[in-house]
Amino acid sequence: VDFARLSWSAPPLVMSKVAPTRRDPDTVGTEDDRKPQTSKPSKPPSVSYFKLFTFSTAPEKVLFLVGCGGGVVQGISQILMFITFSEAFDFAASSSSVRDRVWTAVAEFLRLAAIAFASGAVQSGCTQAFSELQKGRIRKAYFQAVTRQDIAWFDVRTAGSLPSRIQNDIDVMCMGIGDKAGLVALHSSMCVTGLIFGFVRGWRIAICMLLCFPFMGVGAAIMGKAMKDSQGETQSWYNQAGAVAEEVLFAIRTVVSFGTERKELERYTALLGPARKGGVAAQFQMGLGMGYTFAVIEAMYGVAFWFGARLMLDGFFGVFEARILQGGDVFSVFFCVLMAGFALGQLGEPAQSLRGACIAGASFFEVINERPKVEQGAGEDTGLEVVEIDSIVFADVRFAYPARPEITVLNRASFSIQAGQKVAFVGESGSGKSTIIALIERFYDAADGTVSVNNIDIRALRLSSLRKLMGFVGQEPVLFCTSLRNNIRYGSPNASTADLEKACKDAQLDFVSKLPNGLDTFVGSGGSQFSGGQKQRVALARALLKKPSVLLLDEATSALDSTSERMVQETLDALSSTGRKVTTISVAHRLTTVINSDVIFVLQRGVIVESGDHNTLMEQKGVYFGLVASQAGADGVSPSVSRAQVKESAVEEEEKAGSKEGASGKASHGLTVHDEEDPEKARAAAVLKTYKTPLLRLAKFCRPEWICVLPAVVGALAFGAKDPVLAIVLTESMEAFSFPDKEETWDAVKDTTGYFAMLAVSALVGGVLQFGFVGMMKEGMTSRMRAATLEHMLRMEVGFHDDPDHTPAKLSYALQTYAFRAGNMMSGLGAYAGVLGALGVGLGVGFWKSWRVAGMILLSFPVTAAAQAVAMQATMMGSKSDGEEMKMVTQVMSDACNNVRTLRSAGAEASLVGLVERLQEKVVRAGVRRAVLGGFSFGVSQAVTFLVFGFGFWWAGEMIANGTNDFGEAMTSMTCILFGAMGLGTSASFLGDVSKTKLACHDLFQLLDRKSEIDGLSPQGSVPVASKLGQVEFEAVAFAYPFRKEVVVLKSITFKVENGDSVGLCGPSGGGKSTIFAMLQRFYDPAGGSIFITENRTPLSTVDIRWWRSKIGVVGQEPILFDTTVGNNITYGSSDVKAAWLEKCKEMAKIDFLGPDGMETAVGPKGSRLSGGQKQRLAICRALVRDPAIMILDEATSALDSASETVVQAALDNCLEGRTSFAIAHRLSTIQNSKVILVCAEGVIVESGSHDELMAADGVYAKLQNQ
């Protein structure tokens, strides 16, 4: 219920009503747990309401108090208007005094209009301005508090849900300290003032009416429960569904590769079912509560008038017992007490908002007050300053991750590192190598033992100065959704241009010069616009720009081609020759990258079992010697102390995902402060001006609920007509008090009492029918729209998701917003039917009783309707979308929360907090401007209502004084027209924000109407009848990525692969290797040429794409796992997997690292609870389970240690027998046994043949092999 509307709905006969709605998805939160809940989550504790003002300044608090004061005055003015309204009817007893009484009433209305304007403007403007000011400050504090939490804090939470949770808590908090607080002041003032005047003017009638209020409370309780259910449990299901959709959209390439679009859609729609059922139940509850409340009100009308008439006819005194009760006194008491009761009932929703703000505040302050054990915020970073790092010492360090405390990762690890040393940590996957890096950066504190820097416990050092001296490059580099320049500068915002250029040069960022916008190129969500090698080089440049004292390299060159790796490695090796003591600490699976290390520490199951330089360890012939021997055997050479003899060849596909690196090519997409507000506003304005909402198409989304139309319309007609019919009955009751004969008066009162009873029944039935059945249609439409939208997103070709405007965050936002807002169109059905009922009865009866009065009053109808519409918009102003800037703020928060480790390593927390602050400055300023304008508009709407009533009384009085109409005719005509006009305005509130709804419909259907170039959900192709499914032929294939068409990636490539052949792809970065893989999976169609499969040369474009992808197993360089169990990840995309085959695949992929939970072990968000090697092995197992005809291996063993790699590589070799396989490799030794090796360079195949043939040719391949 939109309780703010009561302030302008003059007589108590009209109570504004708004269909219950959930919050706009702009403020929708996301549950931390993405799995469906079987029980309701426990409620968080609440904080004191006054604590919500913690971040407000003294002037802002004054502003808030002034706004609440305006609400108090507004409430008093409403009661005074009711008294004036009541007393004006006393002129019916004496026609000679009509004009005098009318002019007295009109003068009073004018005075009240001025008061209403001032108080309304102050109430709405001040409270909303205060709310907008607090939003910006609270958002910054919330984000700042989240980013300062320990890494362990993020380990036990779903990072992807944090931005939505932050936004949700902020909106709820600021709503409670904004306009809802003003409404509490208004309704509280109305309640107290109404009771005072009611008891003063007739305490007996007041007590009689108060006895009816408990019955009204039952209706309020029903509505409150319905609203709570609608915004609580139901919204929780939608939030969980949204989390699933976001996870799927983030991993869209994996989903498409494994053909699980339909499965993911079913997982999503399964969560929509309970949400829909809960929403329908809440709507029926709301209808019952609304109908019952109005039924009690109608019944109370009858009881009060019956009792008041009896008192008046029996000669009881009123008004301080100074005179006998008059008709005007009865009406005054009735209206005052009734409106006091209304105000008390209407306190429920805004008071609930205040309570909700306190609950959200508890969540907010829990984060604010949570003191991290490791991280040190501003003012707390008071440890010892570190200028240089001379030594790092681990002494009996034991550690287990907080998310898995039962598994000890490091067990009594002890070692020391001196300044300038080159140190390496090697060992099997999961042995604790990356954990040591995390402890050195102090992401965690050791459970036992000590970590010392410069012989000082690391916990005693200033954390910011410590990390400032460290540069980190991980094996899975993370870039933020901004420009290359900003990504490199994170952690070194004050670096000079010369330093930036040198860091780029040292990191071999030569590809940047080829980009249209250079360093200002947008990198995409998560760096999606660049390949793994490019991202790794950018991350390396970011680390080098810091000029670190310690360089931490966790497989830092694993994604580079051999040439780039050699040059970057030389850069790293040369750091020590610059005069600075740069300590290099490396974690490596490729032992050739650490042979020149001064000290190599060998880890096994969390224990350092060996240490020494390469020669020493080789002489010991221990664990390290075994690792080298295993890896050397995989390379096809003998173990040796010479690096040259065991040099690995790393060749990386540069343009993976598209060399979409410049896909946007536009810095405007970066997270820099820029003005996109005006273009978006212009687009919205153009759409609203020209677009015609396809109502019939919308209605098709709720086709199964069409049977609900009739009861919904009938109920809305009855509910809408109730107000003008009530006006007729009330006028007759007023007229009855003027009858000279008491018996005649009493008979008339008894008749009207019966009419009130009939109205009560009509209100109850009409409310249930309207709200319940409209709710059924709306929930059905919303649910189907959400499902259809996600289905269409999954139906789109991969190129659609490459678009910077279609990042996972933006698509997830659209998925929630479009359906929610478009679904509000169903509310219009009840609204328009209510309008028809109100206007039909109001205009019909009004013109029937007096066309002169009706015609004149009708002239005020547009003004009344406009005033009510303005008021509605003013009250909704706080929920307006903050536009593109708000989306950018959300994207920054999402990037930061999802990549907090990179954020910490770069020391970019302050930079991102500052960026959020800058981005939201425009949002706050716009919000304050809207608040001021909204306050002015709201005040005008209040004043206009008083003026219209004054005009109506004046004109009706003139008609009575002139003898043109009698009292009953004139008053009935006036009240029916006015109440009909108010019925129009109040019914319009069911529509919500019509412009948002229309814009959402446009954007929704624009998306749904987009044709997919490669439809993976409903393929049109055929399944070829052939025995050689692995035969593949590229014929003059040319290709450029959709969002960078000026760069041709493949230039007329031609090759043929026979069924069962093993194919290796190698060559310099950017040659087109990963693009060939994408074309093979038909992520894209060639711009020229053709791709054929099977011995029948069937064009790939004519084949059922789902069938084709089911025949391909893919293992990527950066495996994507889903936030579920190991078992679910392994069988992802496969059905009816036999246990024996599953066990065999697990054995081949060396899945031997599972804990006591086995296959039920949770992998965490994006596999965060597993090491890189463990994730890679799961991905290999997932591909093997499918038993594919073609295997695609994009560095399938790159993240494995040498021991695991040997076993897994042998298993892969065995399982590839009889299958066609394609492999990209950095290390040429892994593909030298391939039957065919394709050497790609500059988009063409420069050489092809077997290893021996290519070596004999002494061409590009031979040079790569000899590097």
Side-chain angles (χ1 to χ4, degrees):
V1 178
D2 185 357
F3 299 108
R5 308 310 307 245
L6 175 63
S7 58
W8 49 262
S9 61
L13 351 163
V14 178
M15 179 177 177
S16 301
K17 43 204 178 292
V18 178
T21 58
R22 287 183 295 276
R23 290 186 298 272
D24 192 291
D26 288 347
T27 63
V28 164
T30 304
E31 297 294 322
D32 282 348
D33 189 357
R34 296 186 175 184
K35 302 184 179 71
Q37 301 285 339
T38 56
S39 60
K40 295 182 180 179
S42 58
K43 296 180 181 179
S46 62
V47 297
S48 165
Y49 181 70
F50 299 103
K51 191 174 180 62
L52 301 178
F53 297 85
T54 299
F55 294 94
S56 59
T57 62
E60 290 171 350
K61 291 175 182 176
V62 172
L63 181 69
F64 174 79
L65 293 175
V66 170
C68 291
V72 171
V73 175
Q74 183 72 222
I76 296 174
S77 69
Q78 302 301 312
I79 298 299
L80 294 178
M81 184 180 70
F82 301 147
I83 294 174
T84 303
F85 178 85
S86 304
E87 292 181 343
F89 284 100
D90 280 340
F91 64 69
S94 175
S95 59
S96 60
S97 61
V98 167
R99 280 194 172 87
D100 292 339
R101 292 175 180 270
V102 165
W103 278 110
T104 300
V106 169
E108 186 65 23
F109 275 121
L110 291 175
R111 285 192 292 271
L112 290 175
I115 295 174
F117 166 74
S119 59
V122 169
Q123 173 201 332
S124 179
C126 291
T127 54
Q128 291 194 42
F130 176 80
S131 175
E132 292 295 333
L133 291 169
Q134 298 315 299
K135 272 187 181 180
R137 200 171 288 122
I138 291 175
R139 184 180 294 111
K140 176 188 174 183
Y142 209 153
F143 181 54
Q144 198 168 29
V146 168
T147 55
R148 80 178 181 202
Q149 297 301 325
D150 291 338
I151 297 295
W153 189 85
F154 291 90
D155 287 346
V156 295
R157 289 169 173 81
T158 303
S161 69
L162 289 175
S164 297
R165 172 185 169 185
I166 291 172
Q167 188 60 43
N168 181 55
D169 287 345
I170 291 172
D171 286 333
V172 173
M173 287 173 61
C174 292
M175 186 183 296
I177 58 176
D179 58 335
K180 297 301 181 182
L183 292 179
V184 168
L186 186 154
H187 298 315
S188 299
S189 173
M190 283 183 65
C191 181
V192 174
T193 306
L195 289 176
I196 292 174
F197 277 99
F199 273 87
V200 166
R201 301 178 75 87
W203 62 270
R204 297 175 182 85
I205 302 175
I207 291 177
C208 176
M209 294 181 65
L210 287 177
L211 293 176
C212 299
F213 281 178
F215 297 98
M216 294 176 62
V218 175
I222 295 175
M223 287 188 290
K225 183 179 183 301
M227 295 179 69
K228 177 183 177 182
D229 291 343
S230 179
Q231 295 185 353
E233 181 179 3
T234 301
Q235 192 62 55
S236 171
W237 287 105
Y238 276 127
N239 292 341
Q240 294 174 46
V244 168
E246 186 174 357
E247 181 181 51
V248 170
L249 292 170
F250 178 83
I252 189 63
R253 286 175 175 263
T254 301
V255 171
V256 170
S257 293
F258 284 87
T260 54
E261 300 98 325
R262 190 67 63 185
K263 176 182 178 180
E264 296 296 351
L265 185 61
E266 291 173 356
R267 186 160 69 108
Y268 177 75
T269 54
L271 294 171
L272 297 180
R276 178 184 170 190
K277 291 179 182 179
V280 170
Q283 293 287 341
F284 270 102
Q285 288 181 30
M286 178 61 71
L288 176 63
M290 185 74 75
Y292 172 83
T293 299
F294 274 100
V296 172
I297 291 171
E298 309 295 353
M300 188 168 61
Y301 280 145
V303 172
F305 277 113
W306 178 88
F307 184 62
R310 189 71 268 168
L311 291 177
M312 186 185 73
L313 294 176
D314 291 344
F316 281 86
F317 285 79
V319 190
F320 292 106
E321 303 293 330
R323 61 180 172 84
I324 295 176
L325 282 170
Q326 302 295 317
D329 298 328
V330 174
F331 277 100
S332 294
V333 175
F334 173 75
F335 289 158
C336 288
V337 177
L338 184 62
M339 294 314 299
F342 281 175
L344 182 62
Q346 291 167 346
L347 272 173
E349 193 270 344
Q352 183 70 19
S353 294
L354 266 63
R355 181 174 179 273
C358 293
I359 293 175
S363 177
F364 167 69
F365 282 105
E366 179 184 5
V367 177
I368 290 292
N369 297 327
E370 187 166 355
R371 299 293 94 179
K373 297 179 180 179
V374 176
E375 299 301 321
Q376 301 168 353
E380 302 172 352
D381 198 1
T382 56
L384 299 175
E385 185 75 23
V386 185
V387 178
E388 288 289 339
I389 296 179
D390 297 322
S391 65
I392 298 174
V393 178
F394 275 47
D396 291 329
V397 171
R398 188 177 64 83
F399 179 76
Y401 285 99
R404 301 175 71 183
E406 72 281 1
I407 299 177
T408 300
V409 182
L410 288 181
N411 189 11
R412 302 302 176 187
S414 298
F415 60 85
S416 64
I417 301 173
Q418 303 303 316
Q421 280 187 320
K422 297 178 183 178
V423 178
F425 292 90
V426 300
E428 298 180 350
S429 295
S431 59
K433 303 183 297 295
S434 295
T435 302
I436 289 176
I437 297 292
L439 291 175
I440 290 175
E441 290 192 274
R442 206 190 163 199
F443 286 167
Y444 307 91
D445 281 335
D448 286 321
T450 59
V451 178
S452 302
V453 174
N454 299 344
N455 296 322
I456 302 173
D457 192 322
I458 195 172
R459 291 169 293 188
L461 301 177
R462 180 171 296 179
L463 197 53
S464 60
S465 67
L466 177 69
R467 289 182 182 160
K468 189 175 181 180
L469 297 174
M470 295 182 180
F472 173 79
V473 184
Q475 61 181 329
E476 294 182 4
V478 173
L479 303 185
F480 295 99
C481 188
T482 180
S483 67
L484 278 172
R485 186 185 306 276
N486 289 344
N487 268 286
I488 296 172
R489 280 188 176 275
Y490 277 145
S492 308
N494 299 321
S496 66
T497 302
D499 288 339
L500 177 64
E501 292 175 351
K502 185 176 187 305
C504 293
K505 181 179 179 181
D506 290 343
Q508 305 299 317
L509 296 187
D510 52 327
F511 66 90
V512 174
S513 62
K514 302 177 183 178
L515 301 177
N517 291 288
L519 288 174
D520 293 318
T521 299
F522 174 68
V523 302
S525 176
S528 62
Q529 302 301 312
F530 291 91
S531 70
Q534 291 171 330
K535 288 191 289 184
Q536 206 145 27
R537 279 181 276 175
V538 172
L540 181 58
R542 179 167 56 202
L544 295 177
L545 186 61
K546 295 176 72 175
K547 297 181 180 179
S549 191
V550 174
L551 194 58
L552 305 171
L553 307 174
D554 191 352
E555 287 292 337
T557 60
S558 63
L560 301 179
D561 59 74
S562 56
T563 301
S564 298
E565 180 188 9
R566 177 172 51 81
M567 297 175 70
V568 171
Q569 193 65 50
E570 289 174 357
T571 298
L572 297 177
D573 294 340
L575 288 176
S576 58
S577 64
T578 60
R580 298 175 59 243
K581 289 185 177 181
V582 179
T583 305
T584 304
I585 302 176
S586 302
V587 168
H589 292 133
R590 304 286 175 240
L591 303 183
T592 53
T593 63
V594 299
I595 285 178
N596 292 334
S597 298
D598 299 322
V599 182
I600 299 173
F601 295 100
V602 184
L603 285 92
Q604 192 174 61
R605 299 185 181 277
V607 178
I608 296 179
V609 294
E610 293 178 358
S611 64
D613 61 20
H614 174 76
N615 294 333
T616 301
L617 293 175
M618 290 298 292
E619 291 173 359
Q620 293 177 0
K621 294 188 177 181
V623 176
Y624 180 78
F625 179 86
L627 293 173
V628 174
S630 298
Q631 195 168 95
D635 289 341
V637 297
S638 300
S640 172
V641 298
S642 171
R643 177 172 184 172
Q645 292 176 297
V646 290
K647 179 179 288 293
E648 71 169 308
S649 297
V651 183
E652 211 279 330
E653 163 55 285
E654 183 65 15
E655 73 301 328
K656 181 181 176 184
S659 299
K660 310 174 285 263
E661 60 239 2
S664 73
K666 299 176 183 177
S668 62
H669 286 96
L671 292 184
T672 52
V673 181
H674 57 281
D675 189 1
E676 290 186 1
E677 183 177 7
D678 291 340
E680 175 59 23
K681 283 186 175 180
R683 184 191 77 88
V687 170
L688 295 175
K689 183 178 180 180
T690 60
Y691 184 68
K692 294 182 179 180
T693 305
L695 298 178
L696 182 59
R697 187 177 181 183
L698 275 174
K700 289 181 180 179
F701 279 99
C702 60
R703 185 190 296 271
E705 290 84 21
W706 279 4
I707 194 174
C708 301
V709 173
L710 182 59
V713 170
V714 170
L717 287 171
F719 209 67
K722 168 182 57 60
D723 292 338
V725 171
L726 184 59
I728 298 171
V729 177
L730 280 175
T731 303
E732 291 185 0
S733 300
M734 297 171 186
E735 189 176 10
F737 284 115
S738 65
F739 294 158
D741 183 67
K742 292 186 177 182
E743 289 299 326
E744 185 180 4
T745 298
W746 182 242
D747 290 339
V749 168
K750 288 190 292 183
D751 290 340
T752 55
T753 302
Y755 299 150
F756 283 127
M758 289 187 287
L759 277 174
V761 175
S762 174
L764 177 60
V765 175
V768 173
L769 292 179
Q770 177 183 348
F771 286 91
F773 286 99
V774 167
M776 287 184 66
M777 292 185 288
K778 178 180 177 181
E779 292 295 332
M781 172 182 283
T782 301
S783 179
R784 293 185 190 94
M785 279 184 174
R786 289 177 186 264
T789 304
L790 180 60
E791 179 180 2
H792 203 73
M793 290 176 179
L794 296 178
R795 192 182 298 279
M796 291 296 100
E797 72 280 1
V798 173
F800 169 85
H801 298 275
D802 292 340
D803 189 341
D805 289 332
H806 299 152
T807 62
K810 291 183 178 180
L811 289 179
S812 180
Y813 173 85
L815 179 64
Q816 298 180 63
T817 305
Y818 293 169
F820 179 87
R821 293 177 179 172
N824 284 336
M825 189 66 73
M826 270 298 98
S827 300
L829 178 65
Y832 289 125
V835 167
L836 181 61
L839 289 184
V841 175
L843 292 175
V845 176
F847 275 91
W848 173 50
K849 287 293 184 179
S850 174
W851 66 268
R852 293 179 178 85
V853 174
M856 185 60 71
I857 298 299
L858 194 60
L859 294 176
S860 67
F861 178 85
V863 178
T864 304
Q868 295 174 357
V870 168
M872 179 185 68
Q873 292 296 327
T875 57
M876 294 180 64
M877 197 69 72
S879 64
K880 291 273 188 187
S881 171
D882 294 321
E884 290 300 311
E885 286 75 16
M886 194 63 244
K887 292 181 184 178
M888 300 297 279
V889 170
T890 303
Q891 186 67 58
V892 173
M893 291 182 174
S894 179
D895 283 345
C897 293
N898 282 300
N899 305 304
V900 66
R901 289 172 179 264
T902 301
L903 181 71
R904 287 282 154 74
S905 295
E909 298 96 325
S911 298
L912 285 184
V913 171
L915 179 57
V916 167
E917 187 175 17
R918 292 193 301 275
L919 285 172
Q920 71 179 6
E921 282 179 0
K922 186 178 291 184
V923 176
V924 173
R925 287 197 299 269
V928 172
R929 287 196 299 268
R930 289 197 304 267
V932 173
L933 180 60
F936 179 81
S937 302
F938 187 73
V940 171
S941 71
Q942 306 303 298
V944 168
T945 303
F946 283 80
L947 295 174
V948 168
F949 268 86
F951 172 75
F953 269 101
W954 169 77
W955 184 249
E958 287 295 315
M959 294 298 100
I960 296 172
N962 294 334
T964 304
N965 297 108
D966 60 22
F967 172 82
E969 293 173 342
M971 290 297 105
T972 300
S973 179
M974 181 192 74
T975 53
C976 281
I977 295 296
L978 290 177
F979 296 159
M982 286 187 295
L984 169 65
T986 54
S987 294
S989 61
F990 287 108
L991 297 175
D993 192 326
V994 179
S995 61
K996 277 186 176 182
T997 300
K998 188 173 183 179
L999 190 61
C1001 289
H1002 170 271
D1003 293 343
L1004 172 67
F1005 289 127
Q1006 185 180 59
L1007 173 63
L1008 295 181
D1009 290 339
R1010 185 188 187 279
K1011 300 298 181 182
S1012 176
E1013 297 179 9
I1014 304 174
D1015 191 341
L1017 274 176
S1018 302
Q1020 302 299 317
S1022 60
V1023 176
V1025 178
S1027 59
K1028 298 180 179 179
L1029 299 180
Q1031 183 167 315
V1032 177
E1033 182 177 351
F1034 276 50
E1035 185 177 275
V1037 172
F1039 178 73
Y1041 284 95
F1043 296 95
R1044 196 185 171 207
K1045 294 184 177 181
E1046 71 278 7
V1047 178
V1048 179
V1049 182
L1050 298 183
K1051 303 172 183 177
S1052 191
I1053 280 187
T1054 299
F1055 65 85
K1056 183 177 181 180
V1057 177
E1058 297 294 340
N1059 186 63
D1061 282 356
S1062 58
V1063 182
L1065 286 87
C1066 63
S1069 295
K1073 301 182 294 297
S1074 286
T1075 302
I1076 291 176
F1077 281 6
M1079 304 296 288
L1080 187 58
Q1081 296 176 77
R1082 205 187 165 202
F1083 286 170
Y1084 312 91
D1085 280 333
S1090 301
I1091 302 175
F1092 302 97
I1093 61 172
T1094 77
E1095 68 272 23
N1096 301 321
R1097 295 187 84 245
T1098 304
L1100 182 57
S1101 59
T1102 66
V1103 173
D1104 182 327
I1105 192 61
R1106 290 185 65 80
W1107 169 84
W1108 174 245
R1109 288 171 180 166
S1110 70
K1111 301 302 178 183
I1112 300 176
V1114 180
V1115 182
Q1117 182 180 6
E1118 297 178 10
I1120 290 181
L1121 302 182
F1122 294 89
D1123 189 6
T1124 180
T1125 65
V1126 168
N1128 288 339
N1129 272 285
I1130 288 178
T1131 58
Y1132 187 76
S1134 304
S1135 58
D1136 301 326
V1137 180
K1138 294 182 180 180
W1141 174 244
L1142 179 61
E1143 289 302 318
K1144 183 177 181 181
C1145 293
K1146 288 170 58 182
E1147 182 180 352
M1148 286 190 294
K1150 207 175 186 301
I1151 308 297
D1152 57 359
F1153 52 84
L1154 303 180
D1157 293 333
M1159 295 287 280
E1160 296 301 316
T1161 300
V1163 304
K1166 302 179 184 179
S1168 60
R1169 297 178 185 176
L1170 303 178
S1171 70
Q1174 291 169 339
K1175 288 192 289 185
Q1176 196 81 334
R1177 279 182 274 175
L1178 283 186
I1180 293 171
C1181 188
R1182 179 170 60 188
L1184 293 176
V1185 164
R1186 309 188 78 189
D1187 194 17
I1190 297 177
M1191 284 286 287
I1192 294 179
L1193 310 174
D1194 188 355
E1195 282 298 320
T1197 60
S1198 64
L1200 300 179
D1201 57 82
S1202 55
S1204 299
E1205 180 184 7
T1206 301
V1207 176
V1208 173
Q1209 189 63 52
L1212 285 174
D1213 292 340
N1214 292 332
C1215 73
L1216 292 179
E1217 292 182 3
R1219 295 187 176 92
T1220 303
S1221 64
F1222 291 82
I1224 292 177
H1226 297 308
R1227 301 169 58 244
L1228 301 186
S1229 59
T1230 62
I1231 62 171
Q1232 66 183 18
N1233 293 328
S1234 299
K1235 184 173 182 180
V1236 180
I1237 298 175
L1238 303 178
V1239 183
C1240 304
E1242 299 295 331
V1244 298
I1245 295 179
V1246 294
E1247 292 178 354
S1248 65
S1250 67
H1251 170 75
D1252 293 337
E1253 292 171 345
L1254 294 176
M1255 289 299 293
D1258 195 25
V1260 176
Y1261 179 80
K1263 292 179 180 179
L1264 291 173
Q1265 188 70 253
N1266 294 326
Q1267 283 182 346

